[in-house]
Amino acid sequence: MTEEETIPIEFDEAMFGRNVSTSLLREDIMRCMEMREIGSRQILVYMGYLYKYLKETNRAEYVSFVDPNKIPAAQDGSTSSQHIANQLKASNGDSICLIPYNTGGVRTYLCMRGNPKRPTFKQLTGNLKQQGCVECGYCVMRYMKEIVECEDLQLERKFAGCVKNQYYTQTQYDDVRIEWSEFVYSYLK
């Protein structure tokens, strides 16, 4: 693949409720293959893999996705919070919503629901941690994989038993990198 070539990837419209596509650059692929820091484009592609898995297992209606590339950056978080709130409002209220975004809260969504005091969702905690400085994106992908593969919808039970300061292994990161690579490869055929 040359520096100028791209791999166009189009996602199922049902995944985000609208047409979403991206193009991977050679650099995007090299970052993942060399276990370098990755960004939202690579995470978006992995979300496509997870959605495909959910469709194949007839569980796609249980999970909603928010496109990480469409969460605008704002210094105070207000624009980002509004976008996330809009995505949550459009999602299936009974589904697990994967939002690969580092945010401190979603009060805007709660206010839109008319209930600013009592959360109508749970943020999962207790997942394994990253040990170094480049694993953040891989850690997010691995955590999403564990959520999607869990057939018990009471996810807080699954993650409640995680030991503090327990880390993902390189093998666990490699699992998601392989799945990511196979999904990308399917677009080359």
Side-chain angles (χ1 to χ4, degrees), residues 103-119:
T103 180
V106 287
R107 291 182 194 264
T108 305
Y109 168 71
L110 295 174
C111 290
M112 286 172 62
R113 301 280 301 203
N115 192 357
K117 295 185 180 180
R118 187 176 50 92

